[in-house]
Amino acid sequence: MFTDFFYLLRLRGLRVSMQEWNTLLQGLEMGLHRSSLTGFYQLARAVLVHTEADFDKFDQVFLEYFRDVTTFDELPAELEDWLSTPIDPVEYDPALLTNQGLDIDEIRRMFEERMKEQHERHDGGTHWVGTGGASPFGNSGYYPGGIRVGGTGRNRSALQVAGERHFRDFRDDTVLDVRQFQMAFRRLRQFSAREDGPKDELQLEDTIKETGDNAGRLKLVFGRPRRNTVKLLMLFDSGGSMWEFTKLCASLFQAVSRESKFKDLQTYYFHNCFYDDLYTKPSCLHADSVSTEWVLSQLGQDYKVIVVGDASMAPYELLRPGGCSDYYTYNKEPGIDWIEKFTHRYDRMIWLNPLPRDNWDYGYGSETIRIIKARVPMYRLTLEGLQEGLKALIAAR
């Protein structure tokens, strides 16, 4: 049952195992889907999706697979007219509102029979196609698990829910906002060293685990506070092809500035690549310049370095002395030499690129992206890419 749906989920990147699929089939046999597509949507998402980051992917696959599900929209004009103007629902004895054990196939068969026999409007009843009643067919009524025909249902369908894509912001491959940046950077705190002294800081995750292992009886776990040891150097590409990512970079800068989990944070700007000078402001004016050699000498090897830029430029701007054509400053050393100086100085260095990955291999800038990527680990500027990059920053060498 729905085997193609299983393979489509796997094809679109959702990690659905055979055990989870069998669990879904068992749920269908038990009637947990309430004989409706909406119920199937809710049951399948609950069983098959591991994390809220995949909810949006699931919704898109669900839409793709079930978009052409047959609906009863080929109706006579007269029937459409009265179904579009429903009466107020009539109160019914709850005993009349049970599903009566009918499955969806039987309800479909009954509906086809009613359509052949019915020739006039019916409202508030329990048998014909109509509105405001307890019939299995129609709209604005009470019957659970029936077929909605025309009008607007009291509950949204699964395709409507999936189409609204409420979980778009939970995806782990979407571009980030300030809050998401902050949450990602806070993960660096777990790599700070523990202070000497009393264990007086509650360890929430360990407390939850120990309480669970202790049959639910609360068991508090305390540890020593972390001593903030993270030093971070951020280098932002500014201007030119990065203009379209100005808002994104501003969000990243705000998040880093608001985050207080760093022992030291240094921020500088460059255009296309870092050359003889870096800049203290994104305008990259000469009055705001500082010697790149001075930055290297002042910031020790224990700094972690994050470069943010599209790495896209004319090859000569990266490979020859003279530097960037957009800025009227002659640089004695080519940008590639400065990149290598940074990689020799700092072994914890990553490059975050806001361009889609397809642009890394084709089109303008792909040659310089390839050259830089061979020297500095490069990650896409998404939640998933940032998480991978932060892991690389703290991985054992």
Side-chain angles (χ1 to χ4, degrees), residues 137-188:
F137 328 104
N139 67 78
S140 304
Y142 295 97
Y143 194 92
I147 296 175
R148 179 164 66 86
V149 187
T152 301
R154 292 176 176 274
N155 298 294
R156 294 169 299 162
S157 71
L159 292 177
Q160 286 176 310
V161 174
E164 290 171 358
R165 297 186 64 190
H166 289 298
F167 303 98
R168 185 195 310 263
D169 291 339
F170 288 86
R171 292 182 67 109
D172 57 11
D173 56 354
T174 55
V175 172
L176 307 171
D177 60 18
V178 175
R179 181 183 60 82
Q180 290 171 310
F181 274 132
Q182 283 186 279
M183 295 303 295
F185 276 108
R186 284 177 186 175
R187 299 187 180 189
L188 283 176

Side-chain angles (χ1 to χ4, degrees), residues 252-270:
L252 176 57
F253 176 78
Q254 292 176 43
V256 175
S257 300
R258 295 175 187 176
E259 186 52 55
S260 60
K261 301 298 187 296
F262 306 116
K263 184 175 182 178
D264 188 40
L265 171 64
Q266 298 290 329
T267 303
Y268 293 98
Y269 300 87
F270 63 91

